[in-house]
Amino acid sequence: MEMPEPDARVLGNRDAILKALAEALPADGLITDPHQTLAYECDALTAYRCPPLAVILPATTEEVSQALKICHQLGVKVVPRGAGTSLAGGSLATADSVIIGTSRLRDTIEVNYPDRYIRVQTGVTNLSVTQSVENDGFFYAPDPSSQLACAIAGNIAMNSGGAHCLKYGVTTNNLLGVTLVLADGEVVELGGAHMDAPGLDMLALICGSEGQLGIVTEATLRILPKPEGARPVLIGFDDAETAGECVAQIIKSGVLPVAIEYMDRLCIQVVEDFTAVGYPLCEALLIVEVEGSEAEIAVQIERIEKIALALDPREFRVSQSLEQSELIWKGRKSAFGAMGRLNDYLCLDGTVPVSALPLTLRRIGELAQEHQMEVANVFHAGDGNMHPLILYNANLEGDFERAEQLGAAILKLCVEVGGCLTGEHGVGIEKRDLMYEQFSPDDLEAMMQVKDVFDPDWMLNPAKVFPLNASAARRSLIATQGAAK
Amino acid sequence: MEMPEPDARVLGNRDAILKALAEALPADGLITDPHQTLAYECDALTAYRCPPLAVILPATTEEVSQALKICHQLGVKVVPRGAGTSLAGGSLATADSVIIGTSRLRDTIEVNYPDRYIRVQTGVTNLSVTQSVENDGFFYAPDPSSQLACAIAGNIAMNSGGAHCLKYGVTTNNLLGVTLVLADGEVVELGGAHMDAPGLDMLALICGSEGQLGIVTEATLRILPKPEGARPVLIGFDDAETAGECVAQIIKSGVLPVAIEYMDRLCIQVVEDFTAVGYPLCEALLIVEVEGSEAEIAVQIERIEKIALALDPREFRVSQSLEQSELIWKGRKSAFGAMGRLNDYLCLDGTVPVSALPLTLRRIGELAQEHQMEVANVFHAGDGNMHPLILYNANLEGDFERAEQLGAAILKLCVEVGGCLTGEHGVGIEKRDLMYEQFSPDDLEAMMQVKDVFDPDWMLNPAKVFPLNASAARRSLIATQGAAK
């Protein structure tokens, strides 16, 4: 992946910049020692690495504002970073940039049950939000696989989803308000504890904007009352088409499961070898989870059973106990880890219409053969959010690049069948140059003009989201003509 | 309400402009006769009236594009209009503008059950969307009170809700994609039939943008499988505080009703006089509707009953039949009509946190006394979306202006208690100059810069959304410096 040339002026002024940062910012939130900044050289897309000039870890909105102000004055680019779990390189630093991380923004500010919201600093982890309220019978719905580690800041930046978003929506559907610090340090409030605000929906614009428009330091999140119970069903099929048909029929029938997860044979095999949770070895395994009271669960499972049995499944198994439910989910949740034990893999994140799942799976198989690589599939089938894992060998020269080429072909396929380049991982650096597959130059120009409004000097999260040639052209225009505004 | 001076150049060129429109556009979609344009002099905020220069009613996206192109070339402002049901003056014309209406955009383009969407031209009514799919067991969730008449175009422009949005969300939660025609006639596609697209969320920005950014000609809408059944419960209380407490406890308990509607004594009385549906006369009446299978409904009603009875209600009545359910809803749905038989009224649309409902209701009562006017309250309590109806006498000089003054005071109150100026009616001209109550000048400047991106000459839906002095300053800046871009 090509990265822009670092700004020679900034690199040349390195010592002066670090000195100015040290003078302006509290010592306990500033890392400049190259041995320590090395810990921030990559996120979860570890194939790309670059340590930043410095790392700032503010503990309050005011400190974030102060950090952005000083970077703005010094003309230093800023890379916002949550917990660094991005699979798309969303928080990869550049050599001429400073990382502002949210890891010390850990306070819960307010919990309000009558109005069903929680207000947190955005460095808290996704899972900890639910942990803060679960004793009172509430939970926070979006649940990315990385929920133990990932920060709310990153969830907002990437509009994260998770297995349960089929029923409860993704981050944008559960975000009520934010405190946003702009590129020049100005602090603004968007949204609130109420329904959508008048005027243009700036809150929705911030959600999923991948650190291009500002740094979100506090967020008001919708919390929901916890359902009484939940129960997963395992359904195994001999071919992907029938599994896809089963998903479509369940959704059409009026049952809205909390989750419909899909695993293919390769994934089942690897997971079973690792966890021995008792999955049937078949071509396509669905985990369908429903929730509610006992009566509600029974009604839904009855309907799912009727649909599934008519499709002649290899296996239909309803969890009979909490232990069985935990085993069923343990397998699914271990899938990425199990795969990682055996192989290096590139985890893709494309989305297709549910009805296009069978065609897409078949074409992915064909593309894998053409590229002579293996692909395992494990994904959120209910909303068509696919996560093909392309297996490669990091010690084999050129193998990662071949995986990337296949990845690009698969993501183009997602767009071709009426889907899009990303479901929940974001564009980051990974899909930056594929944006032309989804958008016309005019579409991208409109998005870039919106970025101009928030970040007129293009100092936030460089080399992400927009194709490098487009953002490079933007930056050289700003350099010659002054800021866009 | 102050309106900007019409553009003398446009008024002076009236005949030439109408001639140019007639030459460029199909005759069956153009109205220039002043007797006929009079029908378009107002929307449902009938206190404000102004006939446009002309009305264009295109039947295809291409014709909308052609119409916007010619208006762009002629330098004529454009007011987009759905069915004209806006209560906020969202489609009020100006004397120097042309209305582009969606009333002939009536086709259903595609119905797709496996992927749960319908694609329509945006002139179709809200109710007709559900009618297109209900025989196959589906429905479209947002259900504004005007659903028989209002167009999807207007629903998208205002991000409309309705009684059922407590469970299913508002328009933005049910909108997957749009075809948008920009001010210069360019046609763009945003979103699609898949989950959220990569890059900035331009689709969310369009939803609720009140015709400031373009005209939406086609929309892909999420349709949902219809629940098996639904049942309303009537709960009457002797005071607003206890009713508010009941709403908060129901929501906290884990039941998520489809709707929680609220009526106060004045409203109950007027509705009962008109419809005789058998409402108990009390201070605060809740209609709580739950849905699902028989078993699911029973579980939810049991929980609601337990909560309500502990609060010592005046009345607790579960509907025992379809007929009873229809009667209960008939009263609620007749509320606005019943009130209109007796009085002129100004229907407000503010939103407050649910926990602030009792305080807000009390303060509204006090404000009404101070202003010596009567206010009836009927609204969506579950999400805090209030619709105070200020009664006035249109034949009494100055009475409407006094109603407007009280309305402004009530909307300021909504902002003070942590809410916002509008829930689902939009800003339009009605709340334009109140935007300073909610937003700082910098907030509004950022929104206006986003409008610059889409409508650089500020030709779309003049004098709405932004305070008149702010948009006037913008327009004179453009006039002296050329377009913003």
Side-chain angles (χ1 to χ4, degrees):
Chain A
M1 192 74 57
E2 197 192 343
M3 288 298 277
E5 275 298 305
D7 186 334
R9 184 192 57 79
V10 169
L11 295 189
N13 279 335
R14 185 178 182 280
D15 292 347
I17 288 170
L18 296 186
K19 187 156 168 277
L21 288 175
E23 279 166 12
L25 300 171
D28 57 351
L30 178 64
I31 303 172
T32 56
D33 178 345
H35 291 97
Q36 294 187 302
T37 56
L38 209 58
Y40 293 85
E41 66 168 358
C42 69
D43 54 27
L45 185 65
T46 54
Y48 297 99
R49 290 164 193 266
C50 177
L53 264 187
V55 178
I56 307 174
L57 301 174
T60 63
T61 297
E62 293 65 38
E63 286 184 20
V64 172
S65 168
Q66 179 62 15
L68 277 161
K69 256 181 212 150
I70 180 87
C71 291
H72 182 70
Q73 283 160 10
L74 297 170
V76 176
K77 297 193 199 75
V78 169
V79 174
R81 181 181 169 108
T85 56
S86 171
L87 290 161
S91 53
L92 180 67
T94 55
D96 56 358
S97 69
V98 162
I99 282 179
I100 297 183
T102 61
S103 58
R104 291 173 71 224
L105 292 163
R106 299 303 281 256
D107 284 347
T108 295
I109 299 159
E110 185 192 356
V111 179
N112 183 316
Y113 294 122
D115 294 330
R116 293 187 299 148
Y117 69 80
I118 182 171
R119 180 136 181 114
V120 295
Q121 287 188 314
T122 55
V124 302
T125 64
N126 174 288
L127 191 61
S128 77
V129 175
T130 287
Q131 287 169 340
S132 306
V133 296
E134 66 185 352
N135 285 342
D136 293 297
F138 280 78
F139 75 111
Y140 175 61
D143 60 338
S145 298
S146 56
Q147 66 179 147
L148 192 64
C150 64
I152 291 297
N155 289 187
I156 294 170
M158 296 310 188
N159 190 17
S160 302
H164 287 65
C165 68
L166 177 59
K167 179 162 181 182
Y168 295 112
V170 292
T171 301
T172 195
N173 307 116
N174 294 277
L175 180 67
L176 298 172
V178 296
T179 299
L180 177 76
V181 187
L182 299 174
D184 62 0
E186 194 192 343
V187 178
V188 298
E189 297 293 330
L190 299 173
H194 49 70
M195 274 176 66
D196 63 318
L200 298 180
D201 193 349
M202 306 298 252
L203 178 64
L205 191 60
I206 297 306
C207 194
S209 64
E210 304 200 17
Q212 293 291 317
L213 307 183
I215 297 182
V216 175
T217 56
E218 296 183 11
T220 304
L221 307 171
R222 169 69 73 221
I223 50 175
L224 298 170
K226 226 171 154 175
E228 268 181 52
R231 193 167 310 148
V233 181
L234 268 187
I235 319 175
F237 289 101
D238 286 328
D239 62 287
E241 270 80 2
T242 315
E245 182 60 29
C246 186
V247 172
Q249 285 193 25
I250 287 171
I251 286 176
K252 195 182 157 177
S253 76
V255 185
L256 186 58
V258 201
I260 304 183
E261 297 290 300
Y262 182 113
M263 275 184 262
D264 70 4
R265 175 181 285 268
L266 178 54
C267 185
I268 299 165
Q269 181 75 64
V270 171
V271 164
E272 195 53 30
D273 288 349
F274 181 40
T275 61
V277 292
Y279 284 164
L281 189 61
C282 54
E283 289 305 315
L285 185 65
L286 299 179
I287 303 174
V288 184
E289 177 151 288
V290 294
E291 67 176 24
S293 65
E294 268 307 311
E296 289 167 324
I297 287 174
V299 172
Q300 295 176 80
I301 286 185
E302 193 183 319
R303 239 184 277 179
I304 291 167
E305 184 170 18
K306 204 173 147 196
I307 290 166
L309 294 189
L311 292 168
D312 193 21
R314 164 76 69 92
E315 171 122 9
F316 182 89
R317 191 199 306 167
V318 180
S319 165
Q320 300 298 332
S321 66
L322 268 184
E323 292 67 35
Q324 286 186 17
S325 299
E326 272 170 21
L327 272 184
I328 288 174
W329 276 111
K330 184 182 169 195
R332 168 62 184 87
K333 289 190 176 168
S334 310
F336 287 53
M339 205 59 75
R341 277 172 72 237
L342 300 180
N343 294 278
D344 303 302
Y345 64 80
L346 183 64
C347 175
L348 304 181
D349 170 53
T351 299
V352 301
V354 172
S355 65
L357 280 172
L359 166 67
T360 311
L361 287 165
R362 192 168 67 239
R363 288 284 300 131
I364 288 176
E366 291 164 7
L367 285 168
Q369 278 203 320
E370 285 166 29
H371 286 73
Q372 297 181 305
M373 304 200 85
E374 271 197 306
V375 176
N377 285 290
V378 46
F379 59 92
H380 316 307
D383 45 24
N385 186 190
M386 308 191 69
H387 292 309
L389 304 179
I390 303 177
L391 312 187
Y392 70 96
N393 183 341
N395 298 319
L396 197 64
E397 202 185 307
D399 216 37
F400 176 70
E401 288 70 22
R402 290 173 52 229
E404 281 193 318
Q405 284 160 17
L406 173 55
I410 291 175
L411 292 175
K412 284 180 198 178
L413 166 68
C414 290
V415 176
E416 273 167 35
V417 302
C420 68
L421 289 174
T422 176
E424 54 188 0
H425 295 180
V427 178
I429 60 158
E430 183 201 14
K431 281 159 281 194
R432 180 187 75 186
D433 300 308
L434 287 171
M435 288 286 271
Y436 287 124
E437 300 294 329
Q438 183 109 43
F439 297 108
S440 72
D442 281 354
D443 291 338
L444 289 172
E445 176 61 25
M447 285 189 205
M448 292 197 294
Q449 286 183 16
V450 173
K451 176 169 165 77
D452 289 341
V453 173
F454 286 83
D455 179 21
D457 301 314
W458 281 61
M459 300 305 278
L460 291 177
N461 218 7
K464 320 270 163 44
V465 181
F466 302 106
L468 198 57
N469 61 359
S471 65
R474 198 62 152 213
R475 285 200 51 80
S476 72
L477 189 76
I478 292 167
T480 53
Q481 300 190 349
K485 295 284 155 191
Chain B
M1 191 73 59
E2 196 191 346
M3 289 298 278
E5 275 299 306
D7 185 334
R9 184 192 58 79
V10 169
L11 295 189
N13 279 336
R14 184 176 183 281
D15 293 347
I17 288 169
L18 296 187
K19 189 157 166 276
L21 289 174
E23 280 167 10
L25 300 171
D28 59 351
L30 178 65
I31 302 172
T32 56
D33 178 343
H35 291 97
Q36 293 187 301
T37 56
L38 210 59
Y40 293 85
E41 67 169 359
C42 69
D43 54 26
L45 185 65
T46 54
Y48 296 99
R49 291 166 193 264
C50 178
L53 264 187
V55 178
I56 307 174
L57 301 174
T60 63
T61 297
E62 294 64 38
E63 287 183 19
V64 172
S65 168
Q66 179 61 17
L68 277 161
K69 257 182 211 149
I70 180 86
C71 291
H72 182 68
Q73 283 160 11
L74 296 169
V76 176
K77 297 191 197 78
V78 168
V79 174
R81 180 181 169 109
T85 56
S86 171
L87 289 161
S91 54
L92 179 68
T94 54
D96 58 357
S97 70
V98 162
I99 281 180
I100 297 183
T102 61
S103 59
R104 292 172 70 224
L105 292 163
R106 300 302 283 254
D107 284 349
T108 295
I109 298 159
E110 186 192 353
V111 180
N112 184 316
Y113 295 121
D115 293 330
R116 293 187 298 148
Y117 69 80
I118 182 171
R119 179 139 180 111
V120 295
Q121 285 188 314
T122 55
V124 302
T125 63
N126 173 289
L127 191 61
S128 77
V129 175
T130 287
Q131 286 169 340
S132 305
V133 297
E134 67 185 348
N135 286 343
D136 294 297
F138 280 78
F139 74 111
Y140 175 61
D143 59 340
S145 298
S146 56
Q147 65 178 150
L148 192 65
C150 65
I152 291 296
N155 289 186
I156 294 170
M158 297 309 188
N159 190 18
S160 302
H164 288 66
C165 68
L166 176 59
K167 179 163 180 181
Y168 295 111
V170 292
T171 301
T172 196
N173 307 117
N174 294 277
L175 179 68
L176 297 172
V178 296
T179 300
L180 177 76
V181 187
L182 299 174
D184 63 359
E186 194 191 343
V187 178
V188 299
E189 297 293 330
L190 298 173
H194 48 68
M195 274 176 65
D196 64 318
L200 299 180
D201 193 348
M202 304 299 251
L203 178 64
L205 191 60
I206 296 305
C207 196
S209 64
E210 305 201 16
Q212 293 291 317
L213 307 183
I215 297 183
V216 175
T217 57
E218 296 183 11
T220 304
L221 307 171
R222 169 68 73 222
I223 50 175
L224 299 170
K226 229 171 150 175
E228 269 180 55
R231 193 167 309 148
V233 181
L234 268 187
I235 318 174
F237 289 101
D238 286 328
D239 61 289
E241 270 79 3
T242 315
E245 181 60 28
C246 186
V247 172
Q249 285 194 23
I250 289 171
I251 287 177
K252 192 180 160 179
S253 77
V255 184
L256 185 58
V258 201
I260 304 183
E261 297 290 299
Y262 182 112
M263 275 182 264
D264 71 4
R265 174 181 284 269
L266 178 53
C267 185
I268 299 165
Q269 181 75 64
V270 171
V271 164
E272 195 54 29
D273 288 347
F274 181 40
T275 61
V277 294
Y279 285 165
L281 189 61
C282 55
E283 288 307 314
L285 184 66
L286 300 178
I287 304 174
V288 184
E289 176 153 287
V290 295
E291 66 175 24
S293 65
E294 269 306 312
E296 288 167 325
I297 287 174
V299 171
Q300 295 176 80
I301 286 184
E302 193 183 317
R303 237 183 278 178
I304 291 167
E305 184 171 14
K306 202 172 149 198
I307 291 165
L309 294 188
L311 292 167
D312 193 20
R314 163 76 69 92
E315 170 122 11
F316 182 88
R317 190 198 309 167
V318 180
S319 165
Q320 300 300 329
S321 66
L322 268 185
E323 292 67 36
Q324 286 186 17
S325 300
E326 273 169 22
L327 272 184
I328 288 174
W329 276 111
K330 184 182 168 194
R332 168 62 183 85
K333 288 189 178 171
S334 309
F336 287 53
M339 205 58 77
R341 276 171 74 235
L342 300 181
N343 294 279
D344 303 302
Y345 65 78
L346 183 64
C347 173
L348 303 181
D349 171 53
T351 299
V352 301
V354 172
S355 64
L357 280 174
L359 167 66
T360 311
L361 286 165
R362 193 169 65 239
R363 287 284 299 131
I364 288 176
E366 290 164 7
L367 285 169
Q369 278 203 318
E370 285 167 29
H371 286 72
Q372 297 181 304
M373 305 202 83
E374 271 197 307
V375 177
N377 285 291
V378 47
F379 59 92
H380 315 309
D383 45 27
N385 185 190
M386 307 192 68
H387 292 310
L389 303 180
I390 303 177
L391 313 187
Y392 70 96
N393 183 344
N395 297 318
L396 198 66
E397 203 186 305
D399 217 36
F400 176 71
E401 287 70 21
R402 289 174 52 226
E404 281 193 320
Q405 284 162 16
L406 174 55
I410 291 174
L411 292 174
K412 285 180 198 178
L413 166 68
C414 290
V415 176
E416 274 168 33
V417 302
C420 68
L421 289 175
T422 175
E424 53 188 2
H425 295 181
V427 178
I429 59 159
E430 185 202 12
K431 280 159 279 193
R432 180 187 75 187
D433 300 309
L434 288 170
M435 288 286 271
Y436 287 124
E437 300 293 329
Q438 183 110 45
F439 297 108
S440 73
D442 281 353
D443 291 339
L444 289 172
E445 176 61 24
M447 285 190 203
M448 293 197 293
Q449 287 183 16
V450 172
K451 176 168 165 78
D452 289 341
V453 173
F454 287 81
D455 179 20
D457 302 311
W458 281 61
M459 299 305 278
L460 291 178
N461 218 8
K464 319 269 162 45
V465 182
F466 302 106
L468 199 57
N469 61 0
S471 65
R474 199 63 154 211
R475 285 199 52 78
S476 70
L477 189 76
I478 293 166
T480 51
Q481 302 191 348
K485 294 282 158 193

